[in-house]
Amino acid sequence: MVQKQAYGSVLLKADDILEFLSSDDTQHRLSEIAKHTGLTPPTASKILNTLLLIGYVQKDPDTKLFSLGPRLLKYANKSLHQLSIKRIAQPFLEDLQKATGETVHLGIHEFDHIKYITKIASKKPVSLYSEIGKSIPMYCSAMGKAVLADLDDDDINYYLEKNELISKTENTITTAERLFEEVNLARQEGFAFDNGEHDLDVFCIGSSITVGRTNYGAISISLPIYRLSNEVLESLKQNLLTTKENLIGTLR
């Protein structure tokens, strides 16, 4: 079998450099990096300059020694954070889905959006389409509004400065005043609603998973609006809050 050739040899060389820098906690000279990666000093220097520019490595201005940069470490921590909350939340989500019979999600706050990272679909005849990895705006999602509710008002105002409240459906909240009403209600109740605000025929109830000042994401239950009744809503609230309490208890 013919092995496919990787595209972008410079990326592979950059990976060799990063691998070497991560092998210990010490800083290294350009000559060391070139020797241990099999690169010429000019080639290693060019790649290091690019990695410096994007923050994947850092260079001590006095000693001229290189080490891993803060931006790469931020991504690494983000990845570990996602993997950890997915693993921890999985059994709680499974229990929540069995208790409600509806689709449940786990999402994380990423770049002013909520990103789906786990989903357990309903087995009922009509279930909902959603895609792992998809991101939706915070202002028109139950999980997003629940996460916003855990922020200070100043942080929410900053979010509003950066994000236009664009109508997704006829039910979408498009004013700051209305969004703050929803956020304040979520602060009191411990959950938030998406009542056909992102998808017209979908109702969603979500709650954030925050311990202290650290937010681990949010969980939600989604269902077609036609299946919603007062009795169903009360059951969803109770099961969601119980799941939230149990999950937070595990994270403490």
Side-chain angles (χ1 to χ4, degrees):
M1 180 181 294
V2 177
Q3 186 174 2
K4 291 183 179 180
Q5 185 174 1
Y7 179 78
S9 60
V10 173
L11 291 177
L12 296 176
K13 294 173 183 176
D15 182 65
D16 288 339
I17 290 175
L18 294 173
E19 183 71 25
F20 173 66
L21 291 176
S22 67
S23 63
D24 56 43
D25 294 329
T26 60
Q27 297 176 312
H28 296 278
R29 298 187 182 280
L30 170 62
S31 58
E32 290 180 85
I33 296 170
K35 178 182 178 181
H36 283 86
T37 57
L39 302 173
T40 64
T43 299
S45 178
K46 290 177 182 179
I47 296 173
L48 281 165
N49 285 336
T50 301
L51 294 174
L52 278 168
L53 184 65
I54 58 178
Y56 285 7
V57 303
Q58 55 190 352
K59 182 180 181 181
D60 188 300
D62 297 321
T63 64
K64 311 301 182 185
L65 299 178
F66 294 91
S67 61
L68 289 178
R71 191 172 187 186
L72 188 64
L73 295 175
K74 179 188 76 172
Y75 290 150
N77 289 334
K78 189 80 170 181
S79 177
L80 289 172
H81 176 79
Q82 291 183 25
L83 290 172
S84 178
I85 191 61
K86 284 174 65 175
R87 176 180 56 79
I88 294 170
Q90 186 64 29
F92 297 96
L93 295 174
E94 290 173 359
D95 289 344
L96 181 60
Q97 199 284 319
K98 289 176 184 176
T100 62
E102 301 295 351
T103 299
V104 300
H105 292 98
L106 171 67
I108 57 167
H109 178 196
E110 183 175 85
F111 303 121
D112 290 340
H113 285 67
I114 288 292
K115 179 180 178 180
Y116 294 127
I117 62 172
T118 294
K119 168 189 174 182
I120 304 177
S122 172
K123 295 179 175 62
K124 293 183 178 180
V126 178
S127 59
L128 308 172
Y129 173 77
S130 55
E131 184 179 354
I132 302 302
K134 179 182 178 181
S135 294
I136 58 176
M138 297 179 72
Y139 67 90
C140 58
S141 68
M143 288 192 288
K145 284 187 280 185
V147 171
L148 285 172
D150 284 341
L151 301 178
D152 296 332
D153 285 358
D154 287 344
D155 292 327
I156 298 174
N157 282 320
Y158 181 65
Y159 164 81
L160 289 167
E161 289 175 7
K162 297 190 297 175
N163 296 273
E164 183 182 359
L165 306 184
I166 300 171
S167 179
K168 301 292 184 180
T169 75
E170 60 190 43
N171 293 338
T172 305
I173 292 172
T174 56
T175 67
E177 292 78 13
R178 186 75 182 86
L179 182 60
F180 264 106
E181 288 179 13
E182 294 277 319
V183 164
N184 286 328
L185 185 60
R187 287 168 174 166
Q188 297 172 28
E189 302 286 352
F191 52 78
F193 295 139
D194 164 10
N195 192 7
E197 297 162 42
H198 187 267
D199 296 295
L200 192 58
D201 298 324
V202 177
F203 178 85
C204 185
I205 178 173
S207 193
S208 67
I209 306 300
T210 300
V211 179
R213 297 290 295 177
T214 302
N215 176 256
Y216 292 89
I219 54 176
S220 70
I221 312 167
S222 301
L223 65 159
I225 284 180
Y226 80 84
R227 280 209 290 263
L228 187 68
S229 65
N230 289 336
E231 183 180 358
V232 168
L233 181 57
E234 289 305 313
S235 176
L236 295 179
K237 290 178 183 178
Q238 181 179 348
N239 280 291
L240 182 71
L241 291 177
T242 298
T243 301
K244 170 181 178 169
E245 181 180 346
N246 291 338
L247 182 50
I248 287 178
T250 302
L251 293 168
R252 289 189 192 280

